[in-house]
Amino acid sequence: MTLVSAPSAATAAVSATPLRVPTVRPATPADDGFIEELQAIAFGPGRFSKTAYRIRERFPIDTSLSLVAEVDGTACGSVWMTPVSIGGCNGWMLGPLATHPNFRKLGAGKLLAREVTRRALERGDGLFVMLVGDRDYYCPLGWEPTTLGNIEFPGPVDPTRVLLFAEDKSLAATLSGPIEAWQQG
């Protein structure tokens, strides 16, 4: 006869805890306070001096591509996209992407990056999504390093952190020029 023991209290508690699975929805004006506070927590006061913020000051974000991640109905992350043109080729600059520290390691950031990129490229009017970020985080999601120094930013940027996602896999190596306003057709 085999004895089966009852689950321990810890096992029972874990199995009773609902899975914390992030979901994504469009941001609304009601999210503005949450997003501002989240960016302050994630990036601190020095965020305004970064080159990426210089770009966002020059070119407004595309609010139709502003997304919020939630876990169990609680907002936990956000992402913005800024329409830009590089070398006459239209695309978007992803960011800032932030996840609240209490919700890290649940996949919300990666879900936001994948979903906003999918939505942007499905429109068919832009060819790429560019960002400045960690290769270890973004390259497994499909981003590729650009040719060092090819993309000209309006301030200092570590060129090893400039990454690109595009259906045309040669674009990461060939895209070149200054970051400018979206080119109207």
Side-chain angles (χ1 to χ4, degrees), residues 69-101:
E70 294 182 334
V71 171
D72 299 329
T74 300
C76 66
S78 72
V79 66
W80 286 347
M81 294 280 260
T82 303
V84 296
S85 184
I86 300 170
C89 183
N90 286 339
W92 292 269
M93 186 175 107
L94 185 151
L97 169 68
T99 303
H100 193 280

Short mmCIF file of all heavy atoms in Angstrom, two decimals, residues 69-101:
data_model
loop_
_atom_site.label_atom_id
_atom_site.label_comp_id
_atom_site.label_asym_id
_atom_site.label_seq_id
_atom_site.Cartn_x
_atom_site.Cartn_y
_atom_site.Cartn_z
N ALA A 69 0.21 47.64 -19.21
CA ALA A 69 0.09 46.25 -18.79
C ALA A 69 -0.60 46.22 -17.43
O ALA A 69 -0.41 47.12 -16.60
CB ALA A 69 1.46 45.59 -18.68
N GLU A 70 -1.40 45.19 -17.23
CA GLU A 70 -2.09 44.99 -15.95
C GLU A 70 -1.90 43.56 -15.48
O GLU A 70 -1.75 42.64 -16.29
CB GLU A 70 -3.60 45.22 -16.10
CG GLU A 70 -3.99 46.63 -16.42
CD GLU A 70 -5.51 46.79 -16.50
OE1 GLU A 70 -6.21 45.81 -16.80
OE2 GLU A 70 -5.98 47.92 -16.26
N VAL A 71 -1.92 43.39 -14.18
CA VAL A 71 -1.98 42.08 -13.57
C VAL A 71 -3.15 42.11 -12.60
O VAL A 71 -3.20 42.96 -11.72
CB VAL A 71 -0.66 41.72 -12.84
CG1 VAL A 71 -0.82 40.45 -12.03
CG2 VAL A 71 0.49 41.58 -13.84
N ASP A 72 -4.08 41.23 -12.82
CA ASP A 72 -5.28 41.16 -11.98
C ASP A 72 -5.97 42.52 -11.86
O ASP A 72 -6.42 42.92 -10.79
CB ASP A 72 -4.95 40.62 -10.58
CG ASP A 72 -4.38 39.21 -10.61
OD1 ASP A 72 -4.75 38.44 -11.52
OD2 ASP A 72 -3.53 38.89 -9.76
N GLY A 73 -6.02 43.27 -12.97
CA GLY A 73 -6.69 44.56 -13.00
C GLY A 73 -5.90 45.72 -12.45
O GLY A 73 -6.39 46.85 -12.43
N THR A 74 -4.66 45.49 -12.02
CA THR A 74 -3.82 46.56 -11.49
C THR A 74 -2.78 46.94 -12.53
O THR A 74 -2.03 46.07 -12.99
CB THR A 74 -3.11 46.10 -10.19
OG1 THR A 74 -4.10 45.76 -9.22
CG2 THR A 74 -2.21 47.19 -9.64
N ALA A 75 -2.72 48.21 -12.88
CA ALA A 75 -1.72 48.68 -13.83
C ALA A 75 -0.33 48.43 -13.27
O ALA A 75 -0.06 48.71 -12.10
CB ALA A 75 -1.93 50.17 -14.12
N CYS A 76 0.55 47.88 -14.11
CA CYS A 76 1.88 47.53 -13.62
C CYS A 76 3.00 47.92 -14.59
O CYS A 76 4.18 47.80 -14.26
CB CYS A 76 1.96 46.05 -13.31
SG CYS A 76 1.80 44.98 -14.76
N GLY A 77 2.67 48.35 -15.81
CA GLY A 77 3.71 48.70 -16.77
C GLY A 77 3.14 49.55 -17.88
O GLY A 77 1.92 49.65 -18.05
N SER A 78 4.03 50.19 -18.62
CA SER A 78 3.59 51.01 -19.74
C SER A 78 4.68 51.10 -20.80
O SER A 78 5.85 50.88 -20.52
CB SER A 78 3.20 52.42 -19.29
OG SER A 78 4.35 53.17 -18.94
N VAL A 79 4.25 51.45 -22.01
CA VAL A 79 5.18 51.68 -23.10
C VAL A 79 4.61 52.75 -24.02
O VAL A 79 3.38 52.85 -24.16
CB VAL A 79 5.47 50.38 -23.90
CG1 VAL A 79 4.25 49.87 -24.63
CG2 VAL A 79 6.65 50.57 -24.85
N TRP A 80 5.50 53.54 -24.60
CA TRP A 80 5.15 54.56 -25.58
C TRP A 80 5.90 54.29 -26.86
O TRP A 80 6.94 53.63 -26.86
CB TRP A 80 5.55 55.94 -25.09
CG TRP A 80 4.72 56.53 -24.02
CD1 TRP A 80 3.50 56.11 -23.57
CD2 TRP A 80 5.03 57.68 -23.24
NE1 TRP A 80 3.05 56.93 -22.58
CE2 TRP A 80 3.98 57.90 -22.35
CE3 TRP A 80 6.11 58.54 -23.20
CZ2 TRP A 80 3.97 58.96 -21.45
CZ3 TRP A 80 6.11 59.59 -22.31
CH2 TRP A 80 5.03 59.80 -21.44
N MET A 81 5.41 54.88 -27.94
CA MET A 81 6.09 54.83 -29.23
C MET A 81 6.12 56.23 -29.81
O MET A 81 5.11 56.95 -29.78
CB MET A 81 5.36 53.90 -30.20
CG MET A 81 5.40 52.45 -29.78
SD MET A 81 6.94 51.65 -30.19
CE MET A 81 6.43 50.81 -31.68
N THR A 82 7.26 56.61 -30.37
CA THR A 82 7.43 57.90 -31.01
C THR A 82 7.70 57.69 -32.49
O THR A 82 8.66 57.01 -32.85
CB THR A 82 8.62 58.66 -30.37
OG1 THR A 82 8.39 58.78 -28.97
CG2 THR A 82 8.79 60.03 -30.99
N PRO A 83 6.85 58.24 -33.36
CA PRO A 83 7.10 58.12 -34.80
C PRO A 83 8.34 58.92 -35.18
O PRO A 83 8.49 60.08 -34.78
CB PRO A 83 5.86 58.74 -35.45
CG PRO A 83 4.85 58.89 -34.36
CD PRO A 83 5.60 58.94 -33.08
N VAL A 84 9.23 58.28 -35.93
CA VAL A 84 10.47 58.92 -36.39
C VAL A 84 10.76 58.48 -37.81
O VAL A 84 10.15 57.54 -38.33
CB VAL A 84 11.67 58.58 -35.48
CG1 VAL A 84 11.47 59.12 -34.07
CG2 VAL A 84 11.94 57.08 -35.46
N SER A 85 11.71 59.16 -38.43
CA SER A 85 12.20 58.76 -39.74
C SER A 85 13.72 58.75 -39.66
O SER A 85 14.32 59.64 -39.05
CB SER A 85 11.73 59.74 -40.81
OG SER A 85 12.14 59.31 -42.08
N ILE A 86 14.33 57.74 -40.26
CA ILE A 86 15.79 57.63 -40.31
C ILE A 86 16.15 57.35 -41.76
O ILE A 86 15.69 56.35 -42.33
CB ILE A 86 16.31 56.52 -39.38
CG1 ILE A 86 15.91 56.79 -37.93
CG2 ILE A 86 17.83 56.37 -39.53
CD1 ILE A 86 16.16 55.64 -36.97
N GLY A 87 16.93 58.23 -42.34
CA GLY A 87 17.32 58.04 -43.74
C GLY A 87 16.13 57.97 -44.68
O GLY A 87 16.17 57.25 -45.68
N GLY A 88 15.06 58.69 -44.36
CA GLY A 88 13.86 58.69 -45.19
C GLY A 88 12.96 57.49 -44.98
O GLY A 88 11.94 57.34 -45.66
N CYS A 89 13.29 56.64 -44.03
CA CYS A 89 12.51 55.43 -43.74
C CYS A 89 11.73 55.65 -42.43
O CYS A 89 12.33 55.93 -41.39
CB CYS A 89 13.47 54.25 -43.60
SG CYS A 89 12.69 52.67 -43.32
N ASN A 90 10.40 55.54 -42.49
CA ASN A 90 9.56 55.76 -41.31
C ASN A 90 9.52 54.54 -40.40
O ASN A 90 9.50 53.40 -40.88
CB ASN A 90 8.14 56.11 -41.73
CG ASN A 90 8.02 57.51 -42.28
OD1 ASN A 90 8.85 58.37 -42.01
ND2 ASN A 90 6.98 57.74 -43.05
N GLY A 91 9.46 54.81 -39.12
CA GLY A 91 9.33 53.77 -38.11
C GLY A 91 9.03 54.40 -36.77
O GLY A 91 8.57 55.54 -36.70
N TRP A 92 9.30 53.68 -35.71
CA TRP A 92 9.02 54.17 -34.37
C TRP A 92 10.21 53.95 -33.46
O TRP A 92 10.96 52.99 -33.62
CB TRP A 92 7.82 53.44 -33.76
CG TRP A 92 6.54 53.73 -34.41
CD1 TRP A 92 5.64 54.71 -34.09
CD2 TRP A 92 5.98 53.05 -35.54
NE1 TRP A 92 4.57 54.67 -34.94
CE2 TRP A 92 4.75 53.66 -35.84
CE3 TRP A 92 6.39 51.97 -36.32
CZ2 TRP A 92 3.93 53.24 -36.88
CZ3 TRP A 92 5.58 51.55 -37.36
CH2 TRP A 92 4.37 52.18 -37.63
N MET A 93 10.31 54.82 -32.48
CA MET A 93 11.25 54.61 -31.39
C MET A 93 10.43 54.12 -30.20
O MET A 93 9.49 54.80 -29.76
CB MET A 93 11.98 55.89 -31.03
CG MET A 93 13.06 55.63 -29.98
SD MET A 93 14.02 57.10 -29.65
CE MET A 93 13.35 57.50 -28.04
N LEU A 94 10.75 52.94 -29.71
CA LEU A 94 10.04 52.36 -28.57
C LEU A 94 10.62 52.92 -27.29
O LEU A 94 11.83 52.98 -27.11
CB LEU A 94 10.21 50.84 -28.60
CG LEU A 94 9.45 50.04 -27.56
CD1 LEU A 94 9.13 48.67 -28.12
CD2 LEU A 94 10.20 49.89 -26.26
N GLY A 95 9.73 53.30 -26.39
CA GLY A 95 10.17 53.71 -25.07
C GLY A 95 9.58 55.05 -24.67
O GLY A 95 9.10 55.80 -25.52
N PRO A 96 9.58 55.29 -23.41
CA PRO A 96 10.10 54.42 -22.39
C PRO A 96 9.18 53.22 -22.14
O PRO A 96 7.97 53.31 -22.27
CB PRO A 96 10.18 55.30 -21.15
CG PRO A 96 9.19 56.38 -21.37
CD PRO A 96 9.10 56.57 -22.86
N LEU A 97 9.83 52.13 -21.82
CA LEU A 97 9.15 50.90 -21.40
C LEU A 97 9.51 50.70 -19.94
O LEU A 97 10.69 50.70 -19.59
CB LEU A 97 9.66 49.71 -22.23
CG LEU A 97 9.25 48.32 -21.75
CD1 LEU A 97 7.76 48.11 -21.93
CD2 LEU A 97 10.02 47.26 -22.51
N ALA A 98 8.50 50.59 -19.09
CA ALA A 98 8.76 50.45 -17.66
C ALA A 98 7.76 49.49 -17.02
O ALA A 98 6.59 49.44 -17.43
CB ALA A 98 8.66 51.82 -16.97
N THR A 99 8.25 48.76 -16.04
CA THR A 99 7.42 47.88 -15.23
C THR A 99 7.64 48.24 -13.77
O THR A 99 8.78 48.44 -13.35
CB THR A 99 7.79 46.39 -15.46
OG1 THR A 99 7.68 46.10 -16.84
CG2 THR A 99 6.89 45.47 -14.67
N HIS A 100 6.57 48.34 -13.02
CA HIS A 100 6.68 48.65 -11.60
C HIS A 100 7.48 47.56 -10.90
O HIS A 100 7.30 46.37 -11.19
CB HIS A 100 5.28 48.78 -10.97
CG HIS A 100 5.32 49.39 -9.62
ND1 HIS A 100 5.66 48.68 -8.50
CD2 HIS A 100 5.09 50.67 -9.22
CE1 HIS A 100 5.63 49.47 -7.45
NE2 HIS A 100 5.28 50.69 -7.86
N PRO A 101 8.37 47.93 -9.98
CA PRO A 101 9.21 46.94 -9.29
C PRO A 101 8.43 45.81 -8.62
O PRO A 101 8.92 44.68 -8.55
CB PRO A 101 9.97 47.76 -8.24
CG PRO A 101 9.94 49.15 -8.73
CD PRO A 101 8.68 49.30 -9.55
#
